[in-house]
Amino acid sequence: MTPKIASFLDTQPETPCLVLDLDRVAENYAALRRALPAAKIYYAVKANPAAPILRLLAEQGACFDAASLPEIEQCLAAGAAADSISFGNTVKKASAIAAAHAHGVPLYAFDSAEELDKIAAHAPGAKVYCRIAVNNAGAEWPLSKKFGTTCARAKALLLAAPAMGLVPHGLSFHVGSQQTGAEAYKLAIAEVAMLFTDLKNHGVELKMLNLGGGFPIRYQEDVPEADQFGSAIMTAMTQHFGNDLPDMLLEPGRAMVGNAGVVAAEAVLVCQRMPEDERRWVYLDIGRYGGLAETEGEAIRYRISAGTGPMGPVVLAGPSCDGVDVIYEKTPYHLPLDLKTGDRVLIHDTGAYVTTYASQNFNGFAPLQEYYV
Ligand SMILES: *Cc1c(COP(=O)(O)O)cnc(C)c1O
């Protein structure tokens, strides 16, 4: 926890709340730029669309990967130029494409013929890029089951784009979120490089490769540093593209904001619920519906603290009346034996993928408060 967050928490804000240190976001942005200076950074807005974050990144010259018209408008309101925005969702409403086009957003993602038709109809002349489904092994929050197509289909669609009045601009992939190894990027780069060559031989010269997001942050376990990903990516790029490098885009979400935030929560109930289970149940005032959606399947295992002293095993759950609202039951968690009802519990590295996942008043609970310091 940073000193700024610690001193804000000393004011005893009502919980649950997220406190996020903007200096940390600036540091993360600078570290990613250093790790991969050849790439342009498009912040994946969905990770945390708070205005102070968007303003800071726009001021630093970052670009933005937006998934919807409201995200595009949030970027514009934060001072981003329309031409620094990519409409990166492969699933867009026709009306959103038309509005983005009217705003001057230049870049559109697709992974199907049907979406390409929509873009041609509502954003004539736009630059399009096709998302390839690549191996997501090593990712703790995979994405490739839902997005991306094959290289063969991408080739056919990009060859068809000019006749539809579109500019075939590039390819993209996403190796899965919280990707713990650089190998996935190397494999993906090798695969898309062949398609670049193939398309060039057919008269379509792509200009851009979007490497997506995926860079991990440290939750419980160490992960490789951004530098290690950066050098693995650059090595693979030069190996497969030689001196003829395309424009490289990187779309970090988690790595930009995750470690900048801490959620302060309260233990609403600490109890020994079942006689045969030695573990205490700790019910917090935030759970799956309060924003901790990535604890689904216990995929993301946050670091959780509540003071020092002798520790004992716990099950962690949310405050709602829903049976699915258990945060960690299989993953071993330990909290102080003297933890009692009303005590504060901190959930670390919750700057990404938390605030916007909070439900609207399920069981009457308001979405968590957010403070940007
Ligand atoms: C979610 C998303 C990202 C960000 O992924 P992280 O793993 O958080 O870096 C980047 N690009 C696209 C298209 C996404 O959907």
Side-chain angles (χ1 to χ4, degrees):
M1 181 165 34
T2 71
K4 264 163 103 184
I5 294 178
S7 66
F8 185 86
L9 288 175
D10 282 343
T11 67
Q12 303 294 326
E14 221 179 291
T15 68
C17 66
L18 171 80
V19 190
L20 186 142
D21 187 339
L22 291 165
D23 294 346
R24 200 74 199 263
V25 176
E27 284 164 26
N28 291 337
Y29 177 62
L32 285 165
R33 302 237 8 206
R34 274 197 306 275
L36 209 51
K40 265 199 199 157
I41 294 184
Y42 280 65
Y43 172 55
V45 175
K46 77 174 188 287
N48 188 327
I53 293 176
L54 300 182
R55 281 198 296 266
L56 177 146
L57 291 173
E59 270 166 29
Q60 310 252 327
C63 300
F64 297 90
D65 166 50
S68 66
L69 181 61
E71 280 191 0
I72 289 170
E73 290 176 341
Q74 286 162 16
C75 293
L76 295 172
D83 67 4
S84 72
I85 300 171
S86 163
F87 203 164
N89 195 342
T90 52
V91 183
K92 300 177 282 301
K93 280 193 177 176
S95 58
I97 296 171
H101 187 59
H103 278 305
V105 171
L107 265 179
Y108 297 79
F110 71 95
D111 63 6
S112 67
E114 292 78 1
E115 186 72 10
L116 195 59
D117 284 339
K118 264 198 270 173
I119 302 170
H122 300 283
K127 292 179 184 166
V128 291
Y129 62 95
C130 188
R131 181 155 169 182
I132 308 295
V134 298
N135 195 329
N136 274 204
E140 295 184 353
W141 196 259
L143 295 163
S144 63
K145 270 194 232 132
K146 184 169 170 186
F147 301 107
T149 186
T150 62
C151 283
R153 172 63 59 82
K155 177 182 168 184
L157 295 174
L158 286 163
L159 288 175
M164 301 169 74
L166 295 168
V167 180
H169 188 62
L171 296 175
S172 74
F173 58 74
H174 197 303
V175 295
S177 200
Q178 187 66 8
Q179 173 55 256
T180 53
E183 192 63 24
Y185 289 96
K186 292 195 226 166
L187 295 172
I189 289 167
E191 197 179 337
V192 296
M194 287 196 288
L195 183 51
F196 265 74
T197 309
D198 194 4
L199 280 165
K200 192 171 177 179
N201 294 337
H202 286 80
V204 166
E205 212 162 327
L206 298 181
K207 300 253 177 339
M208 181 276 279
L209 175 58
N210 180 336
L211 302 147
F215 280 26
I217 63 167
R218 186 184 196 291
Y219 291 107
Q220 311 260 4
E221 288 106 39
D222 278 331
V223 291
E225 296 287 325
D227 294 351
Q228 285 168 262
F229 282 94
S231 61
I233 286 171
M234 269 330 282
T235 305
M237 287 299 293
T238 3
Q239 185 188 341
H240 295 286
F241 288 91
N243 288 329
D244 197 16
L245 287 183
D247 292 344
M248 291 165 63
L249 270 55
L250 201 63
E251 297 176 331
R254 190 184 305 279
M256 204 89 112
V257 293
N259 66 3
V262 174
V263 163
E266 177 186 314
V268 182
L269 177 65
V270 181
C271 69
Q272 209 72 51
R273 192 165 61 85
M274 298 297 267
E276 68 273 21
D277 190 350
E278 57 145 352
R279 298 177 301 175
R280 293 160 296 159
W281 276 68
V282 177
Y283 298 89
L284 302 176
D285 57 1
I286 182 172
R288 186 70 50 75
Y289 300 102
L292 304 180
E294 288 199 316
T295 61
E296 168 82 43
E298 308 193 17
I300 298 296
R301 295 170 296 279
Y302 297 109
R303 202 156 46 81
I304 297 184
S305 67
T308 50
M311 302 275 172
V314 294
V315 174
L316 286 148
S320 73
C321 288
D322 191 297
V324 166
D325 191 11
V326 174
I327 310 171
Y328 299 115
E329 193 177 15
K330 299 188 189 74
T331 314
Y333 270 85
H334 292 82
L335 287 177
L337 289 170
D338 63 4
L339 182 75
K340 54 186 190 316
T341 296
D343 284 353
R344 184 192 274 174
V345 175
L346 298 178
I347 311 171
H348 300 270
D349 305 309
T350 35
Y353 303 121
V354 172
T355 54
T356 46
Y357 271 135
S359 71
Q360 294 293 325
N361 299 310
F362 178 51
N363 265 178
F365 297 118
L368 79 168
Q369 292 296 310
E370 304 166 43
Y371 302 100
Y372 295 88
V373 297

